Amino acid sequence: MECLIGIRGKDFVLLASDSVAGRSVVAMKKDHDKMFQLSSKLLMAVSGEGGDTVQFAEYIAKNIQLYRMRNGYDLSTKAAASFTRRNLADYLRSSTPYMVNLLIGGHDDNDGADLYYMDYLGSMVNLPFAVHGYGSFFTLSIMDRYYKEDMTKEQTLALLQRCIDEIHERFIVNLNSFKVKIIDKDGIHVLKDIRPTTKPPVEAEGTQQQQQLMDTA
Amino acid sequence: MALEEIAGLKFSNGSDLFKGDRLLADDCLQASFNLQIPRFCDPVQFLKQYSEDGDSNVKIQFDHGTTTLAFKFQQGVIIAVDSRATAGQWIASQTVKKVIEINRFLLGTMAGGAADCSFWERLLAKQCRLYELRNKERISVAAASKLLANMVYGYKGMGLSMGTMICGWDKRGPGLYYVDSDGTRLANYTFSVGSGSTYAYGVLDSGYRWDLSVDEAVALGRRAIYHATHRDAYSGGVVNIYHMKETGWVKVSQDDVFDLHYKYLRKE
C-alpha cells in the first residue's frame, strides 16, 4: 500500500513517498517519513516489511558514513547503490532476507544527478523516473506521457502533482499526503508535503444528458 | 564489562561463581547481547505442531485478545488498558496486568503474547538500568524503544508476538513509541494496539485534543477502552489507567467495565 516516486530533473533528483505507516487495516501514523539520508547528497526511500525497512536503511547509512570516515570522501551514487544492491542480493538467499523495495537518489560532481530503482530481489536499474507500489500502476503511464529530459524543478513538481492526483482519483487506499525531498549539488532539501488538488465535481447537467443517451441506445 | 570491573570480579574461563558451568555463565551475562536461539532447529516449525491445526494432541493457544491505548497531551501521557486474557474462546483471566512498569519514568503496555511482552520488557528494564549506570543519566524514551525494537528484530520470523507502546517522560517532554515484534518502531501522539484497537481508536480520535485537562484525558481513555471491551469479545475485565507525569508515572484508577456500562447508561 506504500508508494515511492522518483524523478530525475536537470541536475537534481526528486524523491517523494507517501506518509502513511499502516498495520493491517489501521493507519498508525499519518506523517511518517520513509526517506533516509545516506550522506550529504544521497537519499534513500524505502518501503516493504515493517522492521526490515528501518534496519536495512540504517545499516546502509551507517556503512556509507563509515566509508566517509575511513577514506575522507563520500561514495559516488553509483557505488553506494551497488553496495546497497550487493547487500540485498547477499541476504536474499539467507535465512533473513530483507523484504525492502527502494529508490536511491543522489548527486555527484562527476555524474550529476542519478536515480536508482532497486527491488527486494536485488535487481537494480538506473532510470529517469521510477515508482514502487500499487501507485505505479496509475502513474507510470503519466510519466511516460509527460516526462522530458532536463526538466526544471517547477516542471518536475507539476508532474509529481499530476501523479499524486491520479493516485487520489483511482487508488482505493487513501494516500493523501506525500513527503517530498530534492537532492541537487547543494545537498538535500526538504520541500512542503504535497497533497492531491481538490477537483470540482463533474457537472450534473452533463451526466444527465449522458444518462438519457444511454437509455435510448 | 563496567560492573564486572567495579565489583572486581573476573568472568573468564572457569569462573568460581558458576562453579565451572561456563554455558550457564555465558547465558546469564550475555543473554541480551547475543541472539539466543533455542537448541532445536526451527522454532516456527516446532510451534506449528502445537497450534490449532497441528498434529500434536496438545494444543497451545496463545493469549492475543486485548485493547490497549496511550496518548500524549500537554500534561503528559495517559495509558489505558483492559485486563482480559483469552486462550482461543476461553477467558483465561480477567485480572491481567497489561501495563509493565519498566522504571519510574518508563511504562510498557502488553498486547500479543503475554509472556513475550513481560519477558522482553523486563529485559529492557535491565538494559535501561545498565544505561543509567554507564552514562549517569536516565535513558530517553527514544533510546529505550530503539533498544527494544533492535532486540526483538533479531528474533524476527521466529514466532514472537508483541505489540507494545513504550511511554515515558524525558528531556524532550512526554514520549510515546509503538514497538512490535516485526521490528516496527513508530512515534506518534496516539496509539491503540490489540484486537479491540479499532473500536478504541474511534472513541479516542473523536474526543482527542492536545489541551485536554488531566481529568478529561483520563475520562477519554477510560471511555475508549470501555467501548472497545463492549464490542470486542476478546477484551474486558477492568480498565487500568496510568498517567505519566514529569515526576514519573502514577496509577490513576481501576474500574470494572461491567460497572462502567451501567454508570455511562445512567448518565445518558
Side-chain angles (χ1 to χ4, degrees):
Chain A
M1 308 295 158
E2 299 174 297
C3 185
L4 305 176
I5 303 176
I7 310 175
R8 182 181 6 118
K10 182 159 180 64
D11 220 33
F12 70 91
V13 180
L14 178 137
L15 283 183
S17 60
D18 76 285
S19 44
V20 178
R23 291 267 141 284
S24 93
V25 295
V26 181
M28 300 218 75
K29 191 173 155 84
K30 304 274 264 293
D31 56 357
H32 189 222
D33 188 358
K34 300 180 187 175
M35 295 190 260
F36 291 83
Q37 185 168 338
L38 302 181
S39 78
S40 55
K41 295 203 291 181
L42 261 177
L43 193 66
M44 180 161 83
V46 264
S47 70
E49 215 180 299
D52 288 352
T53 48
V54 175
Q55 293 284 143
F56 184 72
E58 287 185 354
Y59 171 68
I60 299 293
K62 299 307 170 203
N63 271 289
I64 305 257
Q65 281 154 31
L66 181 62
Y67 182 95
R68 172 72 206 247
M69 279 183 223
R70 282 185 176 146
N71 300 285
Y73 56 88
D74 281 321
L75 270 172
S76 66
T77 315
K78 187 167 181 191
S82 297
F83 169 73
T84 309
R85 191 208 84 81
R86 165 73 18 220
N87 270 288
L88 270 176
D90 283 344
Y91 277 96
L92 181 63
R93 290 190 171 87
S94 73
S95 49
T96 56
Y98 288 109
M99 293 282 123
V100 292
N101 297 311
L102 46 104
L103 295 176
I104 294 186
H107 188 281
D108 273 348
D109 296 326
N110 296 327
D111 303 311
D114 266 327
L115 173 66
Y116 287 89
Y117 168 104
M118 234 172 287
D119 74 6
Y120 70 100
L121 295 168
S123 60
M124 178 175 96
V125 66
N126 185 331
L127 291 172
F129 56 84
V131 190
H132 271 298
Y134 287 112
S136 64
F137 288 99
F138 304 102
T139 53
L140 283 174
S141 55
I142 297 181
M143 304 270 215
D144 288 330
R145 168 72 179 84
Y146 294 108
Y147 175 83
K148 281 187 281 293
E149 280 287 342
D150 295 336
M151 288 196 292
T152 64
K153 292 206 171 97
E154 292 70 33
Q155 288 171 321
T156 317
L157 281 167
L159 178 57
L160 179 65
Q161 186 68 52
R162 267 193 214 255
C163 292
I164 290 172
D165 287 344
E166 182 59 17
I167 291 174
H168 177 72
E169 177 78 20
R170 290 293 179 186
F171 188 29
I172 220 170
V173 173
N174 181 30
L175 301 174
N176 72 344
S177 159
F178 279 72
K179 294 238 178 270
V180 186
K181 297 188 185 171
I182 283 193
I183 310 104
D184 62 19
K185 62 173 173 37
D186 302 316
I188 299 172
H189 311 281
V190 181
L191 302 179
K192 268 198 326 183
D193 289 358
I194 291 196
R195 290 166 182 267
T197 43
T198 40
K199 291 187 194 152
V202 176
E203 283 176 37
E205 234 181 79
T207 45
Q208 264 190 346
Q209 268 181 345
Q210 274 187 4
Q211 202 54 39
Q212 282 171 350
L213 282 170
M214 301 232 333
D215 289 339
T216 52
Chain B
M1 285 194 297
L3 193 55
E4 195 187 329
E5 285 164 31
I6 293 168
L9 296 165
K10 275 198 252 332
F11 287 133
S12 49
N13 297 341
S15 155
D16 293 301
L17 223 63
F18 293 97
K19 305 240 183 319
D21 187 343
R22 235 194 86 238
L23 281 175
L24 180 59
D26 285 346
D27 272 355
C28 293
L29 297 170
Q30 304 296 331
S32 41
F33 305 122
N34 300 344
L35 207 60
Q36 299 285 296
I37 312 284
R39 304 279 147 100
F40 38 85
C41 308
D42 185 357
V44 180
Q45 281 297 82
F46 174 74
L47 285 174
K48 236 188 215 150
Q49 56 184 305
Y50 298 112
S51 70
E52 257 309 274
D53 11 76
D55 305 321
S56 169
N57 287 325
V58 175
K59 305 258 182 270
I60 302 181
Q61 286 169 333
F62 294 99
D63 307 341
H64 277 114
T66 195
T67 311
T68 59
L69 65 83
F71 60 92
K72 279 200 289 198
F73 69 121
Q74 67 178 358
Q75 308 277 16
V77 194
I78 295 289
I79 299 112
V81 300
D82 75 318
S83 67
R84 178 174 288 184
T86 47
Q89 318 281 52
W90 162 250
I91 297 178
S93 167
Q94 292 271 65
T95 56
V96 179
K97 296 274 174 295
K98 297 190 186 179
V99 175
I100 294 149
E101 295 152 14
I102 297 169
N103 67 39
R104 227 162 50 91
F105 292 88
L106 273 178
L107 288 173
T109 59
M110 181 197 290
D116 285 334
C117 291
S118 15
F119 176 80
W120 288 104
E121 290 182 20
R122 216 152 163 215
L123 207 49
L124 178 64
K126 173 188 157 191
Q127 290 298 96
C128 291
R129 180 66 183 139
L130 282 174
Y131 179 99
E132 272 176 27
L133 287 169
R134 289 182 180 133
N135 299 281
K136 290 196 193 163
E137 70 169 11
R138 268 184 4 239
I139 192 171
S140 66
V141 190
S145 58
K146 191 76 178 168
L147 276 173
L148 182 63
N150 287 342
M151 277 197 280
V152 295
Y153 181 73
Y155 294 86
K156 190 175 162 100
M158 296 191 204
L160 286 185
S161 169
M162 181 192 83
T164 185
M165 296 176 290
I166 303 295
C167 324
W169 194 300
D170 59 27
K171 279 195 286 229
R172 296 202 223 140
L176 175 59
Y177 285 82
Y178 164 77
V179 178
D180 75 17
S181 44
D182 308 329
T184 307
R185 174 177 165 268
L186 297 169
N188 206 352
Y189 289 98
T190 62
F191 281 116
S192 177
V193 184
S195 54
S197 64
T198 46
Y199 306 113
Y201 266 128
V203 175
L204 184 56
D205 289 334
S206 315
Y208 176 76
R209 281 186 342 261
W210 172 256
D211 50 5
L212 289 165
S213 71
V214 176
D215 290 332
E216 285 173 331
V218 167
L220 180 64
R222 191 180 291 128
R223 204 80 206 234
I225 294 285
Y226 158 72
H227 281 285
T229 59
H230 184 66
R231 285 290 180 179
D232 178 29
Y234 297 96
S235 303
V238 299
V239 184
N240 282 312
I241 311 227
Y242 286 69
H243 177 203
M244 178 65 69
K245 296 198 245 223
E246 195 165 358
T247 47
W249 57 261
V250 287
K251 178 154 186 191
V252 177
S253 64
Q254 182 180 79
D255 298 280
D256 193 313
V257 296
F258 184 81
D259 298 331
L260 285 177
H261 176 79
Y262 290 102
K263 190 167 129 210
Y264 291 140
L265 203 61
R266 269 200 307 278
K267 267 206 209 140
E268 280 125 45

PDB file of all heavy atoms in Angstrom, chain A residues 25 44 52 54-55 61 69-70 81 96 98 103-104 111 114 122 144 152 154 159 170 173 189 197 202 207-208 212 214:
ATOM      1  N   VAL A  25      -5.302  -3.130   8.748  1.00  0.00           N
ATOM      2  CA  VAL A  25      -6.238  -2.130   8.220  1.00  0.00           C
ATOM      3  C   VAL A  25      -6.141  -0.770   8.919  1.00  0.00           C
ATOM      4  O   VAL A  25      -6.873   0.158   8.578  1.00  0.00           O
ATOM      5  CB  VAL A  25      -7.701  -2.615   8.305  1.00  0.00           C
ATOM      6  CG1 VAL A  25      -7.913  -3.813   7.425  1.00  0.00           C
ATOM      7  CG2 VAL A  25      -8.066  -2.947   9.741  1.00  0.00           C
ATOM      8  N   MET A  44      17.709   7.841   0.348  1.00  0.00           N
ATOM      9  CA  MET A  44      17.120   6.540   0.020  1.00  0.00           C
ATOM     10  C   MET A  44      15.695   6.478   0.541  1.00  0.00           C
ATOM     11  O   MET A  44      15.458   6.714   1.720  1.00  0.00           O
ATOM     12  CB  MET A  44      17.953   5.426   0.660  1.00  0.00           C
ATOM     13  CG  MET A  44      17.435   4.053   0.385  1.00  0.00           C
ATOM     14  SD  MET A  44      18.694   2.797   0.655  1.00  0.00           S
ATOM     15  CE  MET A  44      18.578   2.555   2.383  1.00  0.00           C
ATOM     16  N   ASP A  52      12.241  -4.546   8.711  1.00  0.00           N
ATOM     17  CA  ASP A  52      13.303  -4.634   7.702  1.00  0.00           C
ATOM     18  C   ASP A  52      13.658  -3.281   7.108  1.00  0.00           C
ATOM     19  O   ASP A  52      14.834  -2.984   6.898  1.00  0.00           O
ATOM     20  CB  ASP A  52      12.876  -5.572   6.552  1.00  0.00           C
ATOM     21  CG  ASP A  52      12.878  -7.032   6.981  1.00  0.00           C
ATOM     22  OD1 ASP A  52      13.356  -7.324   8.092  1.00  0.00           O
ATOM     23  OD2 ASP A  52      12.404  -7.874   6.199  1.00  0.00           O
ATOM     24  N   VAL A  54      13.532  -0.066   8.230  1.00  0.00           N
ATOM     25  CA  VAL A  54      14.371   0.808   9.058  1.00  0.00           C
ATOM     26  C   VAL A  54      15.735   0.179   9.312  1.00  0.00           C
ATOM     27  O   VAL A  54      16.778   0.835   9.201  1.00  0.00           O
ATOM     28  CB  VAL A  54      13.672   1.129  10.393  1.00  0.00           C
ATOM     29  CG1 VAL A  54      14.570   1.921  11.295  1.00  0.00           C
ATOM     30  CG2 VAL A  54      12.385   1.889  10.133  1.00  0.00           C
ATOM     31  N   GLN A  55      15.733  -1.095   9.667  1.00  0.00           N
ATOM     32  CA  GLN A  55      17.001  -1.764   9.988  1.00  0.00           C
ATOM     33  C   GLN A  55      17.943  -1.748   8.786  1.00  0.00           C
ATOM     34  O   GLN A  55      19.133  -1.430   8.922  1.00  0.00           O
ATOM     35  CB  GLN A  55      16.748  -3.221  10.397  1.00  0.00           C
ATOM     36  CG  GLN A  55      16.001  -3.408  11.690  1.00  0.00           C
ATOM     37  CD  GLN A  55      16.870  -3.155  12.918  1.00  0.00           C
ATOM     38  OE1 GLN A  55      16.418  -2.620  13.917  1.00  0.00           O
ATOM     39  NE2 GLN A  55      18.117  -3.510  12.826  1.00  0.00           N
ATOM     40  N   ALA A  61      23.088   3.226   5.728  1.00  0.00           N
ATOM     41  CA  ALA A  61      23.500   4.602   6.030  1.00  0.00           C
ATOM     42  C   ALA A  61      24.767   4.616   6.877  1.00  0.00           C
ATOM     43  O   ALA A  61      25.714   5.357   6.587  1.00  0.00           O
ATOM     44  CB  ALA A  61      22.371   5.339   6.741  1.00  0.00           C
ATOM     45  N   MET A  69      34.278   8.154   6.769  1.00  0.00           N
ATOM     46  CA  MET A  69      35.241   8.351   7.872  1.00  0.00           C
ATOM     47  C   MET A  69      36.582   7.737   7.539  1.00  0.00           C
ATOM     48  O   MET A  69      37.631   8.311   7.823  1.00  0.00           O
ATOM     49  CB  MET A  69      34.706   7.693   9.143  1.00  0.00           C
ATOM     50  CG  MET A  69      33.701   8.521   9.891  1.00  0.00           C
ATOM     51  SD  MET A  69      33.249   7.653  11.392  1.00  0.00           S
ATOM     52  CE  MET A  69      31.517   7.893  11.394  1.00  0.00           C
ATOM     53  N   ARG A  70      36.546   6.552   6.923  1.00  0.00           N
ATOM     54  CA  ARG A  70      37.812   5.859   6.641  1.00  0.00           C
ATOM     55  C   ARG A  70      38.579   6.512   5.519  1.00  0.00           C
ATOM     56  O   ARG A  70      39.803   6.549   5.531  1.00  0.00           O
ATOM     57  CB  ARG A  70      37.517   4.418   6.230  1.00  0.00           C
ATOM     58  CG  ARG A  70      37.209   3.507   7.367  1.00  0.00           C
ATOM     59  CD  ARG A  70      37.063   2.085   6.865  1.00  0.00           C
ATOM     60  NE  ARG A  70      36.855   1.167   7.959  1.00  0.00           N
ATOM     61  CZ  ARG A  70      36.110   0.083   7.901  1.00  0.00           C
ATOM     62  NH1 ARG A  70      35.492  -0.216   6.779  1.00  0.00           N
ATOM     63  NH2 ARG A  70      35.985  -0.698   8.940  1.00  0.00           N
ATOM     64  N   ALA A  81      24.805   2.777  -4.533  1.00  0.00           N
ATOM     65  CA  ALA A  81      23.688   1.947  -4.987  1.00  0.00           C
ATOM     66  C   ALA A  81      24.149   0.503  -5.190  1.00  0.00           C
ATOM     67  O   ALA A  81      23.443  -0.442  -4.819  1.00  0.00           O
ATOM     68  CB  ALA A  81      23.097   2.510  -6.279  1.00  0.00           C
ATOM     69  N   THR A  96      17.499 -14.777   6.598  1.00  0.00           N
ATOM     70  CA  THR A  96      16.889 -13.481   6.945  1.00  0.00           C
ATOM     71  C   THR A  96      17.002 -12.504   5.784  1.00  0.00           C
ATOM     72  O   THR A  96      17.760 -11.531   5.860  1.00  0.00           O
ATOM     73  CB  THR A  96      17.574 -12.861   8.170  1.00  0.00           C
ATOM     74  OG1 THR A  96      18.978 -12.751   7.890  1.00  0.00           O
ATOM     75  CG2 THR A  96      17.363 -13.700   9.406  1.00  0.00           C
ATOM     76  N   TYR A  98      16.026  -9.366   3.359  1.00  0.00           N
ATOM     77  CA  TYR A  98      15.398  -8.075   3.600  1.00  0.00           C
ATOM     78  C   TYR A  98      14.300  -7.871   2.573  1.00  0.00           C
ATOM     79  O   TYR A  98      14.580  -7.741   1.380  1.00  0.00           O
ATOM     80  CB  TYR A  98      16.418  -6.954   3.487  1.00  0.00           C
ATOM     81  CG  TYR A  98      17.395  -6.889   4.637  1.00  0.00           C
ATOM     82  CD1 TYR A  98      18.718  -7.246   4.472  1.00  0.00           C
ATOM     83  CD2 TYR A  98      16.990  -6.446   5.893  1.00  0.00           C
ATOM     84  CE1 TYR A  98      19.615  -7.178   5.517  1.00  0.00           C
ATOM     85  CE2 TYR A  98      17.879  -6.373   6.951  1.00  0.00           C
ATOM     86  CZ  TYR A  98      19.193  -6.746   6.764  1.00  0.00           C
ATOM     87  OH  TYR A  98      20.079  -6.678   7.802  1.00  0.00           O
ATOM     88  N   LEU A 103      14.319   3.270  -3.584  1.00  0.00           N
ATOM     89  CA  LEU A 103      14.792   4.209  -4.595  1.00  0.00           C
ATOM     90  C   LEU A 103      15.952   4.980  -3.978  1.00  0.00           C
ATOM     91  O   LEU A 103      15.832   5.478  -2.868  1.00  0.00           O
ATOM     92  CB  LEU A 103      13.690   5.209  -4.972  1.00  0.00           C
ATOM     93  CG  LEU A 103      12.452   4.686  -5.659  1.00  0.00           C
ATOM     94  CD1 LEU A 103      11.456   5.823  -5.846  1.00  0.00           C
ATOM     95  CD2 LEU A 103      12.791   4.094  -7.017  1.00  0.00           C
ATOM     96  N   ILE A 104      17.057   5.068  -4.723  1.00  0.00           N
ATOM     97  CA  ILE A 104      18.189   5.867  -4.241  1.00  0.00           C
ATOM     98  C   ILE A 104      18.391   7.030  -5.194  1.00  0.00           C
ATOM     99  O   ILE A 104      18.533   6.835  -6.404  1.00  0.00           O
ATOM    100  CB  ILE A 104      19.483   5.035  -4.157  1.00  0.00           C
ATOM    101  CG1 ILE A 104      19.337   3.954  -3.090  1.00  0.00           C
ATOM    102  CG2 ILE A 104      20.668   5.926  -3.822  1.00  0.00           C
ATOM    103  CD1 ILE A 104      20.603   3.173  -2.819  1.00  0.00           C
ATOM    104  N   ASP A 111      29.085  12.528 -12.109  1.00  0.00           N
ATOM    105  CA  ASP A 111      27.981  12.013 -12.926  1.00  0.00           C
ATOM    106  C   ASP A 111      26.731  12.875 -12.877  1.00  0.00           C
ATOM    107  O   ASP A 111      25.753  12.563 -13.542  1.00  0.00           O
ATOM    108  CB  ASP A 111      27.596  10.589 -12.462  1.00  0.00           C
ATOM    109  CG  ASP A 111      28.778   9.642 -12.523  1.00  0.00           C
ATOM    110  OD1 ASP A 111      29.437   9.630 -13.582  1.00  0.00           O
ATOM    111  OD2 ASP A 111      29.026   8.946 -11.521  1.00  0.00           O
ATOM    112  N   ASP A 114      21.539  11.240 -10.259  1.00  0.00           N
ATOM    113  CA  ASP A 114      21.232   9.872 -10.653  1.00  0.00           C
ATOM    114  C   ASP A 114      20.099   9.311  -9.799  1.00  0.00           C
ATOM    115  O   ASP A 114      20.033   9.591  -8.602  1.00  0.00           O
ATOM    116  CB  ASP A 114      22.450   8.960 -10.439  1.00  0.00           C
ATOM    117  CG  ASP A 114      23.276   8.820 -11.694  1.00  0.00           C
ATOM    118  OD1 ASP A 114      22.679   8.849 -12.800  1.00  0.00           O
ATOM    119  OD2 ASP A 114      24.490   8.687 -11.573  1.00  0.00           O
ATOM    120  N   GLY A 122      16.881  -7.837  -5.361  1.00  0.00           N
ATOM    121  CA  GLY A 122      18.248  -7.419  -5.649  1.00  0.00           C
ATOM    122  C   GLY A 122      18.486  -6.972  -7.070  1.00  0.00           C
ATOM    123  O   GLY A 122      19.634  -6.941  -7.522  1.00  0.00           O
ATOM    124  N   ASP A 144       5.408   8.334 -18.543  1.00  0.00           N
ATOM    125  CA  ASP A 144       5.770   8.058 -19.945  1.00  0.00           C
ATOM    126  C   ASP A 144       5.265   9.160 -20.857  1.00  0.00           C
ATOM    127  O   ASP A 144       5.937   9.567 -21.801  1.00  0.00           O
ATOM    128  CB  ASP A 144       5.156   6.719 -20.409  1.00  0.00           C
ATOM    129  CG  ASP A 144       5.860   5.527 -19.781  1.00  0.00           C
ATOM    130  OD1 ASP A 144       7.071   5.636 -19.490  1.00  0.00           O
ATOM    131  OD2 ASP A 144       5.198   4.494 -19.588  1.00  0.00           O
ATOM    132  N   THR A 152      12.846  21.452 -15.307  1.00  0.00           N
ATOM    133  CA  THR A 152      13.163  22.316 -14.161  1.00  0.00           C
ATOM    134  C   THR A 152      12.440  21.788 -12.929  1.00  0.00           C
ATOM    135  O   THR A 152      11.588  20.912 -13.022  1.00  0.00           O
ATOM    136  CB  THR A 152      12.680  23.754 -14.395  1.00  0.00           C
ATOM    137  OG1 THR A 152      11.248  23.723 -14.497  1.00  0.00           O
ATOM    138  CG2 THR A 152      13.284  24.350 -15.647  1.00  0.00           C
ATOM    139  N   GLU A 154      10.197  23.264 -11.137  1.00  0.00           N
ATOM    140  CA  GLU A 154       8.758  23.541 -11.190  1.00  0.00           C
ATOM    141  C   GLU A 154       8.050  22.519 -12.060  1.00  0.00           C
ATOM    142  O   GLU A 154       6.985  22.022 -11.712  1.00  0.00           O
ATOM    143  CB  GLU A 154       8.489  24.952 -11.734  1.00  0.00           C
ATOM    144  CG  GLU A 154       8.927  26.083 -10.821  1.00  0.00           C
ATOM    145  CD  GLU A 154      10.428  26.231 -10.705  1.00  0.00           C
ATOM    146  OE1 GLU A 154      11.135  25.956 -11.694  1.00  0.00           O
ATOM    147  OE2 GLU A 154      10.898  26.617  -9.618  1.00  0.00           O
ATOM    148  N   LEU A 159       4.667  17.596 -12.566  1.00  0.00           N
ATOM    149  CA  LEU A 159       4.492  16.192 -12.965  1.00  0.00           C
ATOM    150  C   LEU A 159       4.156  15.333 -11.754  1.00  0.00           C
ATOM    151  O   LEU A 159       3.250  14.492 -11.790  1.00  0.00           O
ATOM    152  CB  LEU A 159       5.775  15.675 -13.640  1.00  0.00           C
ATOM    153  CG  LEU A 159       5.799  14.215 -14.070  1.00  0.00           C
ATOM    154  CD1 LEU A 159       4.661  13.905 -15.012  1.00  0.00           C
ATOM    155  CD2 LEU A 159       7.133  13.879 -14.732  1.00  0.00           C
ATOM    156  N   ARG A 170      -7.922   7.341  -8.347  1.00  0.00           N
ATOM    157  CA  ARG A 170      -8.242   5.960  -8.708  1.00  0.00           C
ATOM    158  C   ARG A 170      -7.814   4.891  -7.729  1.00  0.00           C
ATOM    159  O   ARG A 170      -8.342   3.770  -7.791  1.00  0.00           O
ATOM    160  CB  ARG A 170      -7.603   5.629 -10.073  1.00  0.00           C
ATOM    161  CG  ARG A 170      -8.259   6.334 -11.233  1.00  0.00           C
ATOM    162  CD  ARG A 170      -9.656   5.856 -11.462  1.00  0.00           C
ATOM    163  NE  ARG A 170     -10.315   6.528 -12.562  1.00  0.00           N
ATOM    164  CZ  ARG A 170     -11.590   6.359 -12.893  1.00  0.00           C
ATOM    165  NH1 ARG A 170     -12.342   5.535 -12.212  1.00  0.00           N
ATOM    166  NH2 ARG A 170     -12.096   7.019 -13.906  1.00  0.00           N
ATOM    167  N   VAL A 173      -6.905   2.904  -1.786  1.00  0.00           N
ATOM    168  CA  VAL A 173      -6.330   3.261  -0.484  1.00  0.00           C
ATOM    169  C   VAL A 173      -6.091   4.767  -0.450  1.00  0.00           C
ATOM    170  O   VAL A 173      -5.578   5.355  -1.400  1.00  0.00           O
ATOM    171  CB  VAL A 173      -5.003   2.513  -0.237  1.00  0.00           C
ATOM    172  CG1 VAL A 173      -4.327   3.002   1.018  1.00  0.00           C
ATOM    173  CG2 VAL A 173      -5.254   1.021  -0.157  1.00  0.00           C
ATOM    174  N   HIS A 189      17.271  18.922   0.108  1.00  0.00           N
ATOM    175  CA  HIS A 189      16.319  19.956   0.540  1.00  0.00           C
ATOM    176  C   HIS A 189      14.964  19.331   0.777  1.00  0.00           C
ATOM    177  O   HIS A 189      14.455  18.592  -0.060  1.00  0.00           O
ATOM    178  CB  HIS A 189      16.185  21.027  -0.554  1.00  0.00           C
ATOM    179  CG  HIS A 189      17.498  21.515  -1.049  1.00  0.00           C
ATOM    180  ND1 HIS A 189      18.269  22.431  -0.369  1.00  0.00           N
ATOM    181  CD2 HIS A 189      18.211  21.190  -2.149  1.00  0.00           C
ATOM    182  CE1 HIS A 189      19.385  22.653  -1.025  1.00  0.00           C
ATOM    183  NE2 HIS A 189      19.381  21.916  -2.107  1.00  0.00           N
ATOM    184  N   THR A 197      -4.778  17.814  -5.331  1.00  0.00           N
ATOM    185  CA  THR A 197      -5.588  19.036  -5.504  1.00  0.00           C
ATOM    186  C   THR A 197      -7.054  18.634  -5.502  1.00  0.00           C
ATOM    187  O   THR A 197      -7.428  17.618  -6.075  1.00  0.00           O
ATOM    188  CB  THR A 197      -5.285  19.743  -6.837  1.00  0.00           C
ATOM    189  OG1 THR A 197      -5.197  18.730  -7.845  1.00  0.00           O
ATOM    190  CG2 THR A 197      -3.992  20.504  -6.796  1.00  0.00           C
ATOM    191  N   VAL A 202     -17.825  16.824 -11.478  1.00  0.00           N
ATOM    192  CA  VAL A 202     -18.255  16.876 -12.881  1.00  0.00           C
ATOM    193  C   VAL A 202     -19.668  17.435 -12.907  1.00  0.00           C
ATOM    194  O   VAL A 202     -20.485  17.094 -12.075  1.00  0.00           O
ATOM    195  CB  VAL A 202     -18.223  15.455 -13.487  1.00  0.00           C
ATOM    196  CG1 VAL A 202     -18.753  15.460 -14.901  1.00  0.00           C
ATOM    197  CG2 VAL A 202     -16.811  14.901 -13.414  1.00  0.00           C
ATOM    198  N   THR A 207     -23.979  14.787 -16.891  1.00  0.00           N
ATOM    199  CA  THR A 207     -24.229  13.366 -16.599  1.00  0.00           C
ATOM    200  C   THR A 207     -25.675  12.999 -16.932  1.00  0.00           C
ATOM    201  O   THR A 207     -25.960  11.895 -17.350  1.00  0.00           O
ATOM    202  CB  THR A 207     -23.960  13.032 -15.125  1.00  0.00           C
ATOM    203  OG1 THR A 207     -24.551  14.037 -14.315  1.00  0.00           O
ATOM    204  CG2 THR A 207     -22.468  12.965 -14.855  1.00  0.00           C
ATOM    205  N   GLN A 208     -26.589  13.982 -16.739  1.00  0.00           N
ATOM    206  CA  GLN A 208     -27.997  13.684 -17.059  1.00  0.00           C
ATOM    207  C   GLN A 208     -28.165  13.413 -18.546  1.00  0.00           C
ATOM    208  O   GLN A 208     -28.833  12.474 -18.949  1.00  0.00           O
ATOM    209  CB  GLN A 208     -28.898  14.876 -16.668  1.00  0.00           C
ATOM    210  CG  GLN A 208     -29.509  14.699 -15.303  1.00  0.00           C
ATOM    211  CD  GLN A 208     -30.573  15.753 -15.031  1.00  0.00           C
ATOM    212  OE1 GLN A 208     -30.664  16.733 -15.738  1.00  0.00           O
ATOM    213  NE2 GLN A 208     -31.329  15.516 -14.000  1.00  0.00           N
ATOM    214  N   GLN A 212     -29.540  10.009 -20.497  1.00  0.00           N
ATOM    215  CA  GLN A 212     -30.630   9.939 -21.488  1.00  0.00           C
ATOM    216  C   GLN A 212     -30.184   9.196 -22.744  1.00  0.00           C
ATOM    217  O   GLN A 212     -30.892   8.354 -23.270  1.00  0.00           O
ATOM    218  CB  GLN A 212     -31.084  11.353 -21.872  1.00  0.00           C
ATOM    219  CG  GLN A 212     -31.975  11.969 -20.817  1.00  0.00           C
ATOM    220  CD  GLN A 212     -32.243  13.431 -21.073  1.00  0.00           C
ATOM    221  OE1 GLN A 212     -31.624  14.062 -21.933  1.00  0.00           O
ATOM    222  NE2 GLN A 212     -33.163  13.992 -20.322  1.00  0.00           N
ATOM    223  N   MET A 214     -27.845   6.971 -22.942  1.00  0.00           N
ATOM    224  CA  MET A 214     -27.670   5.546 -22.667  1.00  0.00           C
ATOM    225  C   MET A 214     -29.026   4.857 -22.667  1.00  0.00           C
ATOM    226  O   MET A 214     -29.147   3.719 -23.097  1.00  0.00           O
ATOM    227  CB  MET A 214     -26.991   5.344 -21.311  1.00  0.00           C
ATOM    228  CG  MET A 214     -25.655   6.017 -21.267  1.00  0.00           C
ATOM    229  SD  MET A 214     -24.242   5.081 -20.748  1.00  0.00           S
ATOM    230  CE  MET A 214     -24.734   3.840 -19.715  1.00  0.00           C
TER     231      MET A 214
END
